[in-house]
Amino acid sequence: MLKDKYFKAFAAYASCNMVLAIAASALCAYIAPAAAGSGIPEVKAYLNGVDAYSILAPSTLFVKIFGSIFGVAGGFVVGKEGPMVHTGACIASLLGQGGSRKYRLTWRWLRYFKNDRDRRDLITCGAAAGVAAAFRAPVGGVLFALEEAASWWRSALLWRTFFTTAVVAVVLRGFIEFCQSGKCGLFGKGGLIMFDVNSSRATYDTPDLLAVILLGVLGGIFGSLYNYFVDKVLRTYSIINEKGPVFKVMLVMAMSLLTSCCSYGLPWLSRCLPCPIVEDQCPTEGRSGNYKNFQCPPGHYNDLASLFLNTNDDAIRNLLSPGTKEFHISTLLVFFAAIFCLGIITYGIAIPSGLFIPVILAGASYGRLVGTFLGSLSNLDAGLFALLGAASFLGGTMRMTVSLCVILLELTNDLLMLPLVMLVLLISKTVADSFNKGVYDQIVKMKGLPYLEAHAEPYMRHLVASQVVSGPLVSFSGVEKVGNILHSLKLTRHNGFPVIDEPPFSDSPELCGLVLRSHLLVLLKGKKFTKLKVLTGLDIMRRFKAQDFAKAGSGKGIKLEDLDITEEEMDMYVDLHPITNTSPYTVVETTSLAKAAVLFRELGLRHMCVVPKTAGRPPIVGILTRHDFMPEHILGTLPRYTLPQVGLLACKHEFNFLPPLYYNEVIIIDICSLIFTIFGFSIFG
Amino acid sequence: MLKDKYFKAFAAYASCNMVLAIAASALCAYIAPAAAGSGIPEVKAYLNGVDAYSILAPSTLFVKIFGSIFGVAGGFVVGKEGPMVHTGACIASLLGQGGSRKYRLTWRWLRYFKNDRDRRDLITCGAAAGVAAAFRAPVGGVLFALEEAASWWRSALLWRTFFTTAVVAVVLRGFIEFCQSGKCGLFGKGGLIMFDVNSSRATYDTPDLLAVILLGVLGGIFGSLYNYFVDKVLRTYSIINEKGPVFKVMLVMAMSLLTSCCSYGLPWLSRCLPCPIVEDQCPTEGRSGNYKNFQCPPGHYNDLASLFLNTNDDAIRNLLSPGTKEFHISTLLVFFAAIFCLGIITYGIAIPSGLFIPVILAGASYGRLVGTFLGSLSNLDAGLFALLGAASFLGGTMRMTVSLCVILLELTNDLLMLPLVMLVLLISKTVADSFNKGVYDQIVKMKGLPYLEAHAEPYMRHLVASQVVSGPLVSFSGVEKVGNILHSLKLTRHNGFPVIDEPPFSDSPELCGLVLRSHLLVLLKGKKFTKLKVLTGLDIMRRFKAQDFAKAGSGKGIKLEDLDITEEEMDMYVDLHPITNTSPYTVVETTSLAKAAVLFRELGLRHMCVVPKTAGRPPIVGILTRHDFMPEHILGTLPRYTLPQVGLLACKHEFNFLPPLYYNEVIIIDICSLIFTIFGFSIFG
C-alpha cells in the first residue's frame, strides 16, 4: 500500500474481496438458494402463514451464517442484520420441529412445540433475538418482531419475545465483558451501545425543526426511490439468476469487482486533509479507526477512505461523530451517491445481504451532508444530523416507526433526541407511503408469496364468499372407502377436505367437519380399516397416540409414496370421525368477502368452510384458502364483470346502501386513516 | 415550623391537606363517581368493548383533572399517572363523539369518527398520550397502550399512537423549554428525563446478578401481596362507599388525617444527620430539594422528612440518587412500610388516585434498603438498587414487561442498566403471576365489568355454542309490523335482533341478518311506514343519510321514549332490509365454545349468530353476546352437571379424543406457556 505500489495494492484488495465473494455466492447458489437476500421478507411471510420450501431449513441456516460472514468481509455494501434475523428464525424453527433428524440433532422434550402456533411463536422470538443481537438492542428486537415480522400478536407472545431478548442481552453483555481485553478482535467494540453519541448534548430550537422536517421529506423521497429501484433491479436479477448457479456466481463476481473499484478508486477524488491537532491517533493504521491515511503524506488523512476502507460499523461511527470539519461536502456527496447506487444493485445477488447497513450508511451520509450545508443556520451538530438522516432514510425504506425509533435509541443512547427522531420517522414514512410500499412488502410481493394483508381490500365489500370459491370440491363421507381417499389424495393437492355425514349415520347429509391431509396420511399408514361401513371411533383411539398427529418438520411428514396399501385394503372402509375437526370455522355463502377475509386473517386460518344459506342443497359449497383471497385470484375468477358492475351486482344482492355503517361490528372502511393522513400532511407538509 | 410550634405546624399542615382532600372527594362523590380511582382499569375495559356508563363523560374528565390535582396536592400517597391516562382517554372520547352537545363544543368534521372502531382507536391514542405526558416517555406511552390498555391491535394503530405521542413529546418539550427560567413553578423540572441517573455508570459482575435476582423475587412477592391487599381493601371500601356520598367524603377525610399523621409524625423517629460537606444546598428550605431540615439544628437534615415532606417526584429522585450514606437503613424501612400500607389503604377512596407513584416509591425504598444492606457485597450503587427495586415492584403489581422497561428507561436515561431491568421485571412478573392476577385485571374483575380474556378457558373446549345461548330469542321478520318492533324493544334490553326472511320474500324461512337497536330506533323515528307488507328498500334510501345511523355519544342516541308512534302507525309495516347487516358472523350450534369465544374475541364482535346444524328448523338458534362467555354465566346455565361430567358429555358429542391437536387451526391449549414457565423458573429460581 505504501511506496506507490498502488496497482498491486488494488489487485490484492480486489482479489481478496473476489475470493470471499465467490465463497459466499457458491454457498448460496449450490447449497441453499433460499439463503440469498435479507431473509426478513421470508420470515415475515412465514409468520403470515406462508410455509415456503426450505426457507427455514438447516442448510439455509448454515449458508446464511457463513455466507453472511463472507459477504460482509468481502466488502459488499450489505448488512449482517437481516441475515441475523433469518438466522435467529432458522434456529428457532429447528428447535420448533424438535431438532433435525437428518443431522442427528433431536430432543424429545421439544416435541411439545410440534404445532403451528408454537412454532410460529418460537420463530417470532428467534427474529426478535436476531435484531437484539445485531443491534445490541433488546427492546428494539421485541418491537421489530411486533411491528414488522409478526402478523398475529398476543400479549403472551410479547413477554416471551421480551424474555428471549433479555437472555440475548445478558449473554451479549457477558461476551462483551469477556472480550474487553481485546481477546476477540473487534468483537464487542463500543460495548452494549454501538454508536454512543450521548456526549453531544441536543439543544434545538424551532428553526431546527424546519431542518428536521426537510430531512424527513428528503428521507421519504429517497426511501421510496430506493424501494422503486430495488424492485426494478430485483426483477432484472431474477431473470439472470434463473439461468443457473453459474450465472449467479458470475453476477456476484461482477458486483464484487465493481464494489472494489468504487471503494478503492473513489477515495482518489478526495483531497488529503491535515489531521486535527488534538487527535493523537491520526492517521490510523490499524483495522479500525477514524482517520485513514490512504495515499496521503504523514499527518494527513483521506476522509473518503475513512468511510470506504473501513468496517461498516466504523464508517457509521465516523459519520455520527460530532463536529463539521472532519468530512468535506464533496466527500459526503460522493459517498452518498456511491452507497445509494451500490446498495440498490447489490441487493438481490446470490449472497445473504441485509438492508439495514446500506440504508443507515446512505442516510447518515446525506444527513451529515445536509447538516454541513446548514452548518451555521442550525444549532444541531452534524453528527446529530447524520443520525436524523439515517432515521429518515430507514423510515422511508422500511416504514417502521416505533421499532426503528427504539433501535436507534438503543444504538446511540441519545434520549434527548427522541422527539426529533420520532418526528423524522413519521414524516419520512408518511411521505414515502404516498409513493409505494415498504421494501420488505415489495420483496414479498415480488417473490409471489401469498401474503395476507391485515385489512380487506375495498372491492371485497362488493363480493360474496361463494363468488370466489374455486375448483371442484372434494369431500369425504364420515366412513369412507380407503380407495376413494387414496384417489383423492393423489388427484388433488388440497390440504383440507370436508367430511360429510350421510345416512345411515345422520338423518340427512350434514357437514361433520374438516380433515387434514397430514392426518389422513397418518391414519392410512396406521391401517385400521374395516370390511364394513361402521363407526370405529374407540378402536382407533387405542391405536394412535396424540403425538402421532403432531405437525412434522417441513418436508418430514408422511408422504403419499410412503403408504403401502394393498388391492384388498382399497375396498375396505375407514372411520374419519376421530380425526375430523368438528368445529371448523364457517361462513354463509352470502357473507361479504371482506368479512370473510377479516375472519380468515384475524384467526389465522388455513381453511374456511363456505356453507349454503338455503336448505335442501349439499351441506357445503366450498372451501376458502389463502389463495382465494389473493387479488389475482379474485380478479381472475370474475372475468366477465368489470369491477363497478360487480359492485352494483353485489349491492343489489345485499341491500348494501350504507357502506361505512353496514359493517357495524368490524368496520372495514378506514375513514380514520384518511383523516390522519390529511391531518398529518397539513401539519408536516 | 421553627421555634417549637410543632403542634400548630401540624394543625396547619393537616388542615391544608384536609381541605384539599374534601375538595377532591366532594367533586368525586357528587359530580362524577366514575372519576374515582386510577381509571386505567376502566379504559382497559372500554377498549375491550365494555361501554360502562359515564366512564368517559365530560363531567368525569373535569373531575378527574381537578380531583387529581387536589388529591396529589393534599398529600395522599397517590399518583397522577393513572388519572392522566384516563384524562387522555376522556379527551379522545370527546373528540370521537364529535364534541359535547351539552357543553356546546362540537365540530362537524369529527362526525367521521362516529363509529365503534375509530372511537376505540382514538381512545387508545388518548391513553398513550396520557402515559407519554405523565412520564415524559413517548415510546413508553405507545407500548403501554399496546401491552396494557388495548385489547385489539393493528399496525395502523401502532403508528397512530406513535404519532400522538410524538406530538405530545414535541409539545412537552416546548413547554419545558418555555418554563426553564422558572416561570411555571416546579413544572418541567428535570427536563424530558425526569429522574436522570445516567451519571452513575453501571458496572456489574456475576455476583451482582444474584442480588438482582433476589430483588426480582422480593418484588414479585411484595407485588402479589400488594395486589391481594388492594383487592381486599377495595371490597371493604365498596361497602362503605355504597352507603352514599357523605360516607365517601368521610372516608376520604379519615384517610387524609391518617396520611398527615404518618408523614408528619414518622420523621420524628429518625435522627438528625449532619449535612455532607460537598453539598451547599443542605438543608433545603424551598419547596423542592434533597435535604429537609425539619426539626434538626442548622447544618443537619432529617432523612425521613426528606422523603415524606417532599413532592413525590423529589422523593423518587432522592431515592434514586447515588451513594449509600444519605439514608439510614431504619429510615428506609419505616418509609417502605408506611408507603406500602398507605398505598394499599388509599386506593379505593373517592378521589382520582394513580397506582404508579406509590408503587415506584415503595419499590425504590425497598430496593435502596436491599442495596444499603448489601452495600459492601455488590458493586452496584444504592441508587441503581432503588431503580431495580422500583422495577421489580412495578413488575410484581402491574405485570407489564416491555412497556415498563421502556418507561423506566425513558424516566432514568440509563441504557446500560437495561439488561438488569429486563431481568428483574421478568423475574418479578413470573413470581407474582404464580400467586394472582395483575392489579388492573383484579380491579376490572372486582368492578364486575364483563372483560373478555384473550384466550378461551380450558373448560370451554368441552362445551358447544348452543349450550350457553340464553334467554328467549326475539327475532323480526324482514318486513315487520311497527307495533311488534316497539313491543320487543320495550320488553327486552337486547341490542341486536336477528331478521328472518319468510315467504313470500323467500322460499323458506332463512336468516337475513342482524339489526341493531340503535338503527331500529332511527328507522322508527323516520316513520317511513307502509300499509302493506312490501319491500321499500329504495324509498328508505332517499329518506336517510348514512350519518343518521352514525354511533351517537354515550347516552345521546335516540331513546325509546323519544318515539311518538300513533295507534294507526302501530299496525303499519316497515322494511328492515336496508338497515340489516346481511353478513353477521355465525357459528354452527355444535361448534366448540372455545372456538366461538376465540372468534368473538379476535374479531371484536358484540353479537354472534348461532345457526342450526340440521335443516328443517328455525334458521337461527340464538345470539351469543359478551355476557354469554363470562364464566359466571356459563357455569350458571349448566347447574346439573359438575364440570368433569360436562367434559365427558361433550367429548362423546364431538369425538374429541385429541384435545391439543383437535384445534388444528388455532390451538387453544398453551403448552408453550407451560414450558416457558418451567424453563423460566429453572433459570431464575
Side-chain angles (χ1 to χ4, degrees):
Chain A
M1 184 68 204
L2 303 170
K3 293 180 196 165
D4 299 328
K5 290 179 180 170
Y6 295 122
F7 188 74
K8 274 192 189 166
F10 173 70
Y13 175 74
S15 54
C16 277
N17 282 351
M18 186 66 80
V19 169
L20 288 165
I22 292 174
S25 64
L27 279 175
C28 241
Y30 290 100
I31 300 182
S38 154
I40 293 177
E42 284 85 355
V43 172
K44 208 178 153 175
Y46 182 89
L47 293 176
N48 191 265
V50 183
D51 204 348
Y53 180 68
S54 82
I55 277 183
L56 300 172
S59 61
T60 310
L61 171 64
F62 171 79
V63 172
K64 203 87 195 185
I65 295 175
F66 288 96
S68 174
I69 293 173
F70 293 145
V72 172
F76 283 113
V77 184
V78 297
K80 59 187 192 305
E81 281 70 16
M84 278 176 92
V85 171
H86 196 170
T87 306
C90 284
I91 295 173
S93 159
L94 210 61
L95 288 176
Q97 64 188 45
S100 168
R101 228 179 296 159
K102 197 162 151 198
Y103 301 97
R104 308 239 171 164
L105 294 162
T106 51
W107 293 273
R108 263 189 69 74
W109 64 269
L110 287 177
R111 69 177 184 278
Y112 295 112
F113 295 117
K114 285 199 170 189
N115 63 62
D116 262 350
R117 203 179 68 160
D118 282 344
R119 202 172 293 171
R120 225 177 264 163
D121 282 6
L122 271 173
I123 287 168
T124 312
C125 291
V131 173
F135 295 109
R136 301 175 201 165
V139 178
V142 173
L143 291 176
F144 176 85
L146 156 65
E147 191 175 0
E148 190 61 26
S151 294
W152 294 279
W153 197 259
R154 297 167 297 128
S155 63
L157 193 51
L158 193 69
W159 82 265
R160 276 171 208 167
T161 46
F162 192 72
F163 175 78
T164 317
T165 59
V167 171
V168 169
V170 170
V171 171
L172 247 184
R173 205 188 167 284
F175 275 121
I176 289 173
E177 201 90 320
F178 178 76
C179 292
Q180 239 166 12
S181 46
K183 271 176 270 187
C184 340
L186 291 179
F187 179 83
K189 197 158 166 270
L192 268 183
I193 300 158
M194 285 170 85
F195 315 121
D196 202 334
V197 296
N198 200 20
S199 51
S200 53
R201 303 305 287 180
T203 47
Y204 49 92
D205 292 325
T206 324
D208 295 336
L209 282 180
L210 291 176
V212 169
I213 290 170
L214 173 71
L215 262 186
V217 173
L218 275 182
I221 293 170
F222 280 134
S224 54
L225 265 181
Y226 192 86
N227 290 4
Y228 176 78
F229 284 123
V230 163
D231 193 48
K232 290 281 165 256
V233 168
L234 268 180
R235 283 174 199 276
T236 317
Y237 282 177
S238 67
I239 298 168
I240 301 173
N241 286 342
E242 269 168 20
K243 291 187 180 162
V246 182
F247 284 86
K248 285 188 185 179
V249 175
M250 276 166 60
L251 184 62
V252 173
M253 284 166 68
M255 287 309 307
S256 171
L257 196 64
L258 184 64
T259 311
S260 297
C261 288
C262 279
S263 51
Y264 192 85
L266 289 177
W268 293 98
L269 296 176
S270 173
R271 272 173 304 166
C272 291
L273 295 175
C275 283
I277 301 154
V278 283
E279 203 76 37
D280 50 351
Q281 288 215 318
C282 171
T284 327
E285 286 296 340
R287 283 177 295 179
S288 156
N290 219 337
Y291 304 97
K292 291 284 175 190
N293 186 241
F294 203 57
Q295 91 295 11
C296 294
H300 286 65
Y301 71 98
N302 183 319
D303 54 353
L304 202 45
S306 308
L307 296 175
F308 270 121
L309 298 170
N310 216 334
T311 62
N312 289 331
D313 284 3
D314 270 322
I316 295 174
R317 217 168 276 136
N318 289 348
L319 286 170
L320 296 183
S321 62
T324 51
K325 297 269 153 55
E326 201 176 319
F327 297 100
H328 199 261
I329 287 186
S330 63
T331 303
L332 292 170
L333 202 59
V334 170
F335 187 69
F336 169 64
I339 291 292
F340 189 82
C341 298
L342 283 177
I344 288 171
I345 55 174
T346 306
Y347 190 85
I349 61 174
I351 57 167
S353 51
L355 278 169
F356 268 102
I357 291 291
V359 167
I360 292 179
L361 276 175
S365 54
Y366 89 71
R368 201 176 175 100
L369 193 64
V370 172
T372 315
F373 258 122
L374 297 179
S376 55
L377 294 171
S378 167
N379 288 329
L380 285 179
D381 186 86
L384 295 182
F385 264 109
L387 169 60
L388 292 173
S392 72
F393 201 30
L394 282 169
T397 46
M398 304 188 178
R399 317 288 163 84
M400 294 181 261
T401 50
V402 194
S403 49
L404 279 179
C405 185
V406 173
I407 288 175
L408 285 171
L409 172 65
E410 290 186 292
L411 278 178
T412 61
N413 191 22
D414 199 352
L415 195 56
L416 289 170
M417 290 291 282
L418 192 63
L420 289 188
V421 173
M422 290 174 87
L423 258 187
V424 107
L425 278 172
L426 278 169
I427 296 170
S428 63
K429 181 189 154 68
T430 311
V431 170
D433 269 345
S434 56
F435 294 114
N436 50 21
K437 288 210 279 185
V439 68
Y440 295 129
D441 290 320
Q442 269 191 353
I443 296 171
V444 166
K445 205 178 167 197
M446 208 222 69
K447 292 205 165 192
L449 301 172
Y451 190 86
L452 272 184
E453 295 292 339
H455 52 88
E457 299 291 332
Y459 63 79
M460 289 189 181
R461 278 181 286 126
H462 302 297
L463 297 171
V464 296
S466 60
Q467 282 177 300
V468 298
V469 168
S470 62
L473 182 69
V474 179
S475 65
F476 295 132
S477 174
V479 180
E480 184 60 272
K481 209 181 240 183
V482 175
N484 284 353
I485 297 176
L486 222 56
H487 183 70
S488 302
L489 289 180
K490 261 184 203 145
L491 219 66
T492 69
R493 294 182 59 221
H494 297 181
N495 280 313
F497 301 89
V499 175
I500 292 169
D501 266 336
E502 280 160 358
F505 302 112
S506 68
D507 299 333
S508 60
E510 62 183 42
L511 181 65
C512 171
L514 197 72
V515 67
L516 294 185
R517 170 182 283 260
S518 58
H519 293 182
L520 276 175
L521 287 170
V522 175
L523 191 71
L524 290 183
K525 179 110 184 166
K527 295 202 173 190
K528 202 71 195 172
F529 307 140
T530 50
K531 282 251 161 64
L532 296 171
K533 204 170 178 177
V534 288
L535 293 174
T536 54
L538 280 171
D539 260 12
I540 292 187
M541 259 167 99
R542 284 190 213 102
R543 177 72 179 76
F544 293 100
K545 285 191 292 269
Q547 59 256 40
D548 292 336
F549 292 94
K551 189 177 166 80
S554 66
K556 295 209 186 57
I558 299 170
K559 287 185 193 59
L560 201 53
E561 300 84 58
D562 301 344
L563 294 180
D564 180 31
I565 309 278
T566 61
E567 271 302 314
E568 191 185 351
E569 283 169 336
M570 287 291 225
D571 284 332
M572 291 171 82
Y573 289 91
V574 62
D575 185 3
L576 298 181
H577 287 115
I579 62 160
T580 303
N581 168 3
T582 54
S583 302
Y585 285 108
T586 57
V587 288
V588 180
E589 55 181 342
T590 54
T591 304
S592 140
L593 188 63
K595 291 191 120 177
V598 168
L599 170 62
F600 195 87
R601 163 66 210 247
E602 291 294 316
L603 298 188
L605 304 185
R606 290 198 186 280
H607 307 100
M608 188 160 68
C609 301
V610 181
V611 295
K613 185 164 186 172
T614 48
R617 289 163 52 194
I620 184 161
V621 174
I623 285 190
L624 286 176
T625 63
R626 165 181 298 269
H627 293 278
D628 296 322
F629 290 103
M630 294 295 121
E632 307 85 55
H633 170 78
I634 294 176
L635 301 181
T637 51
L638 301 165
R640 274 177 299 166
Y641 311 109
T642 57
L643 265 187
Q645 278 176 330
V646 171
L648 274 175
L649 187 88
C651 273
K652 210 184 77 198
H653 194 76
E654 302 188 39
F655 307 98
N656 178 1
F657 84 96
L658 294 170
L661 290 162
Y662 181 71
Y663 303 94
N664 37 37
E665 305 286 345
V666 179
I667 286 157
I668 310 294
I669 285 198
D670 208 342
I671 300 168
C672 195
S673 77
L674 183 78
I675 303 281
F676 266 86
T677 314
I678 296 167
F679 193 51
F681 264 103
S682 64
I683 284 183
F684 296 142
Chain B
M1 183 68 201
L2 305 169
K3 295 180 192 162
D4 299 330
K5 290 177 179 171
Y6 295 122
F7 188 73
K8 272 192 188 166
F10 173 69
Y13 175 73
S15 55
C16 275
N17 283 352
M18 187 66 82
V19 169
L20 288 166
I22 292 174
S25 64
L27 279 175
C28 241
Y30 290 101
I31 300 182
S38 155
I40 293 177
E42 284 85 355
V43 172
K44 208 178 153 173
Y46 182 88
L47 292 176
N48 191 266
V50 184
D51 203 350
Y53 180 68
S54 81
I55 276 182
L56 300 171
S59 61
T60 310
L61 172 64
F62 171 79
V63 172
K64 203 88 196 186
I65 296 175
F66 289 96
S68 175
I69 294 173
F70 292 146
V72 173
F76 283 112
V77 184
V78 296
K80 60 186 191 308
E81 280 71 15
M84 277 175 92
V85 171
H86 196 169
T87 305
C90 284
I91 294 173
S93 159
L94 210 61
L95 289 176
Q97 64 187 46
S100 169
R101 225 179 300 159
K102 197 165 151 195
Y103 301 97
R104 307 239 171 163
L105 294 163
T106 50
W107 293 274
R108 263 190 69 76
W109 64 271
L110 287 176
R111 69 175 183 280
Y112 296 111
F113 296 115
K114 285 198 168 189
N115 63 61
D116 263 349
R117 203 180 68 160
D118 284 341
R119 202 173 293 173
R120 228 178 260 164
D121 282 6
L122 271 174
I123 287 167
T124 312
C125 291
V131 173
F135 294 110
R136 300 175 202 165
V139 179
V142 174
L143 291 175
F144 176 86
L146 156 66
E147 190 175 3
E148 189 64 27
S151 293
W152 294 280
W153 196 262
R154 295 166 298 127
S155 64
L157 193 50
L158 193 68
W159 82 264
R160 278 172 207 166
T161 46
F162 191 71
F163 175 78
T164 317
T165 59
V167 171
V168 169
V170 171
V171 171
L172 247 183
R173 205 189 166 282
F175 274 122
I176 288 173
E177 201 90 318
F178 179 75
C179 293
Q180 239 167 10
S181 46
K183 273 177 268 187
C184 342
L186 291 179
F187 178 84
K189 202 160 164 270
L192 268 183
I193 301 156
M194 285 169 87
F195 315 120
D196 202 337
V197 296
N198 199 21
S199 51
S200 52
R201 305 304 286 179
T203 47
Y204 49 92
D205 291 327
T206 325
D208 295 334
L209 282 180
L210 291 176
V212 169
I213 290 170
L214 173 71
L215 261 186
V217 174
L218 275 181
I221 294 169
F222 281 134
S224 54
L225 265 181
Y226 192 87
N227 290 3
Y228 176 78
F229 285 123
V230 162
D231 192 47
K232 290 278 166 255
V233 167
L234 267 181
R235 284 172 198 278
T236 318
Y237 282 177
S238 68
I239 299 166
I240 300 174
N241 285 342
E242 270 168 19
K243 290 187 181 163
V246 183
F247 284 86
K248 285 187 184 179
V249 176
M250 277 166 62
L251 183 63
V252 174
M253 285 167 69
M255 286 309 307
S256 170
L257 196 64
L258 184 63
T259 310
S260 297
C261 288
C262 278
S263 50
Y264 193 86
L266 289 176
W268 293 99
L269 297 176
S270 170
R271 274 172 306 164
C272 290
L273 297 173
C275 281
I277 301 155
V278 283
E279 203 75 39
D280 49 351
Q281 288 214 323
C282 171
T284 328
E285 286 294 340
R287 284 176 294 179
S288 157
N290 220 336
Y291 304 98
K292 290 286 175 188
N293 186 242
F294 204 56
Q295 91 295 10
C296 294
H300 287 64
Y301 71 99
N302 184 319
D303 55 352
L304 202 45
S306 308
L307 296 176
F308 270 122
L309 299 171
N310 216 333
T311 62
N312 288 332
D313 284 1
D314 271 322
I316 294 174
R317 216 168 274 137
N318 289 347
L319 285 169
L320 296 182
S321 62
T324 51
K325 296 271 152 56
E326 200 176 320
F327 298 99
H328 199 262
I329 288 186
S330 63
T331 303
L332 291 170
L333 202 61
V334 170
F335 186 69
F336 168 63
I339 291 292
F340 190 81
C341 299
L342 282 177
I344 288 170
I345 55 175
T346 305
Y347 190 84
I349 62 174
I351 58 167
S353 50
L355 277 169
F356 268 101
I357 291 292
V359 167
I360 292 179
L361 275 175
S365 54
Y366 89 71
R368 201 175 175 99
L369 191 64
V370 172
T372 315
F373 258 123
L374 297 178
S376 55
L377 294 171
S378 167
N379 287 330
L380 286 179
D381 186 86
L384 295 182
F385 264 109
L387 168 60
L388 292 173
S392 71
F393 201 34
L394 281 168
T397 46
M398 303 186 179
R399 316 287 162 85
M400 294 181 261
T401 50
V402 194
S403 49
L404 279 179
C405 187
V406 173
I407 288 175
L408 285 171
L409 173 65
E410 291 188 292
L411 278 179
T412 61
N413 191 21
D414 200 352
L415 195 56
L416 289 169
M417 291 292 282
L418 192 63
L420 291 187
V421 172
M422 289 174 87
L423 259 187
V424 106
L425 277 173
L426 279 169
I427 297 170
S428 63
K429 180 189 154 68
T430 312
V431 170
D433 269 346
S434 55
F435 294 114
N436 51 22
K437 289 210 280 185
V439 67
Y440 295 129
D441 290 320
Q442 270 191 353
I443 296 170
V444 166
K445 204 177 170 197
M446 207 221 70
K447 292 205 165 191
L449 301 172
Y451 189 86
L452 272 183
E453 295 293 338
H455 53 87
E457 299 290 334
Y459 63 78
M460 288 188 181
R461 277 182 287 126
H462 303 297
L463 297 171
V464 295
S466 60
Q467 281 177 302
V468 298
V469 167
S470 62
L473 181 69
V474 180
S475 65
F476 295 132
S477 174
V479 180
E480 183 63 273
K481 209 182 241 184
V482 175
N484 283 353
I485 297 176
L486 220 58
H487 182 70
S488 301
L489 289 179
K490 260 183 203 147
L491 219 65
T492 69
R493 294 183 58 222
H494 297 182
N495 281 313
F497 300 89
V499 175
I500 292 168
D501 265 336
E502 280 161 356
F505 301 112
S506 67
D507 300 334
S508 59
E510 62 182 42
L511 182 63
C512 170
L514 197 72
V515 67
L516 296 185
R517 171 183 284 259
S518 57
H519 293 182
L520 277 176
L521 287 170
V522 175
L523 190 71
L524 291 183
K525 180 109 182 168
K527 294 202 172 187
K528 201 73 195 171
F529 308 139
T530 50
K531 282 252 162 63
L532 296 170
K533 205 171 178 178
V534 288
L535 293 173
T536 53
L538 280 170
D539 261 12
I540 292 186
M541 257 167 99
R542 282 190 216 106
R543 177 75 180 75
F544 294 100
K545 284 190 293 268
Q547 59 255 39
D548 293 336
F549 292 93
K551 190 177 164 79
S554 67
K556 294 208 187 60
I558 299 170
K559 285 183 195 63
L560 201 54
E561 301 85 57
D562 301 342
L563 295 180
D564 180 31
I565 309 279
T566 60
E567 272 301 316
E568 191 185 351
E569 284 168 335
M570 287 291 224
D571 285 331
M572 291 170 85
Y573 290 91
V574 62
D575 184 5
L576 298 181
H577 287 115
I579 61 161
T580 304
N581 169 4
T582 54
S583 303
Y585 285 107
T586 56
V587 288
V588 180
E589 56 182 341
T590 55
T591 304
S592 140
L593 187 61
K595 291 191 120 179
V598 168
L599 171 62
F600 195 87
R601 163 65 210 245
E602 292 294 316
L603 298 188
L605 305 184
R606 291 199 184 280
H607 307 97
M608 188 160 66
C609 302
V610 181
V611 296
K613 184 165 186 170
T614 48
R617 289 165 52 194
I620 184 160
V621 174
I623 285 189
L624 286 176
T625 63
R626 165 179 298 269
H627 292 278
D628 296 321
F629 291 102
M630 293 294 122
E632 309 85 53
H633 169 80
I634 295 175
L635 302 179
T637 52
L638 302 163
R640 275 176 299 167
Y641 311 108
T642 57
L643 265 188
Q645 279 177 331
V646 172
L648 274 176
L649 187 85
C651 273
K652 211 183 74 195
H653 193 75
E654 302 188 40
F655 308 98
N656 178 3
F657 83 98
L658 295 168
L661 289 164
Y662 180 70
Y663 303 96
N664 38 38
E665 306 284 347
V666 180
I667 287 157
I668 309 294
I669 284 197
D670 206 344
I671 300 169
C672 194
S673 76
L674 183 76
I675 303 281
F676 266 85
T677 314
I678 295 167
F679 191 54
F681 263 105
S682 63
I683 284 184
F684 296 140

